[in-house]
Amino acid sequence: MILKSYIVENNKDQLFKYRFFLFYGENDGLKKILKDYVKEKNEASETINLFQDEINKDNKKLEKHLFNTSLFEDKKTIIIHNATDKALEIIENIDEIDESIKIVLVSDILDKRSKLRSFFEKRSELAIVACYKDTEITLRNYISSELKGFKGLDHETIKIIISSSNLE
């Protein structure tokens, strides 16, 4: 299911209708915000960070985390960084993955022909969020809302923050 990034930014809780997430694009700041939000909301679960390269070298590593139960934690959140189309092999068997496991895939830009992107877009139980570069208007709104109540925040300060942000 395709979720628009500006809608997700305004209501992050809608992400939790889904167990699997794909955050992709060039806006690393937004991907980090969304990934951190998922981790924060799943605070009671064990968080496992993996990189696609690690999984490519040793595919048993991911299987170990997916199919072994923990004595200490009931739930798991697995975050796969730098995900590529090879991650599709994991997600294709979603029916076999325990309900208590959430999987977050974080990727750079994926073109329209990407198998991973296409798979997430077509399945209603999977969430995909494209994280495009921010515009000055969206950054201005974001800064104003996040720093609301901060003394000394004026238009000049906001301009300085935006100019040094590289539109992220």
Side-chain angles (χ1 to χ4, degrees):
M1 171 70 67
I2 300 171
L3 303 176
K4 301 291 184 190
S5 61
Y6 64 90
I7 295 172
V8 172
E9 280 184 275
N10 292 330
N11 182 11
K12 294 180 191 87
D13 288 332
Q14 71 177 313
L15 286 173
F16 294 99
K17 296 177 189 173
Y18 309 94
R19 284 182 40 223
F20 302 97
F21 315 97
L22 172 60
F23 304 134
Y24 76 95
E26 57 193 348
N27 190 336
D28 294 330
L30 178 57
K31 290 187 293 190
K32 182 180 180 336
I33 289 169
L34 295 176
K35 179 182 66 172
D36 289 348
Y37 188 77
V38 171
K39 283 178 15 182
E40 178 185 312
K41 286 298 183 177
N42 290 297
E43 213 174 293
S45 71
E46 175 185 9
T47 301
I48 300 158
N49 286 292
L50 298 171
F51 287 86
Q52 184 71 51
D53 292 341
E54 292 176 69
I55 297 167
N56 293 346
K57 289 178 186 169
D58 180 12
N59 53 351
K60 298 288 184 200
K61 188 173 199 163
L62 180 63
E63 285 181 25
K64 180 180 79 173
H65 292 296
L66 285 174
F67 300 112
N68 290 347
T69 56
S70 171
L71 297 173
F72 305 105
E73 304 289 340
D74 295 336
K75 299 178 181 180
K76 290 181 188 179
T77 302
I78 299 174
I79 301 171
I80 301 173
H81 302 274
N82 303 329
T84 63
D85 281 346
K86 290 192 178 206
L88 184 58
E89 297 167 10
I90 303 157
I91 304 301
E92 282 180 322
N93 301 318
I94 57 175
D95 298 331
E96 297 173 14
I97 298 173
D98 190 277
E99 292 284 323
S100 65
I101 297 174
K102 289 198 181 292
I103 297 178
V104 179
L105 300 168
V106 182
S107 181
D108 289 329
I109 299 170
L110 296 173
D111 65 30
K112 290 204 181 274
R113 294 174 300 195
S114 166
K115 293 176 185 176
L116 181 63
R117 178 177 167 181
S118 177
F119 187 77
F120 267 82
E121 288 176 344
K122 291 177 184 172
R123 303 285 299 258
S124 61
E125 68 272 20
L126 307 175
I128 180 170
V129 180
C131 301
Y132 300 116
K133 280 221 180 260
D134 289 314
T135 64
E136 282 193 40
I137 295 168
T138 57
L139 277 177
R140 185 177 312 278
N141 292 338
Y142 182 74
I143 292 167
S144 297
S145 69
E146 289 296 312
L147 299 179
K148 187 177 182 179
F150 185 74
K151 291 183 180 181
L153 184 67
D154 58 6
H155 293 294
E156 197 60 39
T157 308
I158 292 173
K159 274 184 176 180
I160 293 169
I161 294 170
I162 291 173
S163 68
S164 63
S165 73
N166 194 25
L167 293 180
E168 275 189 22

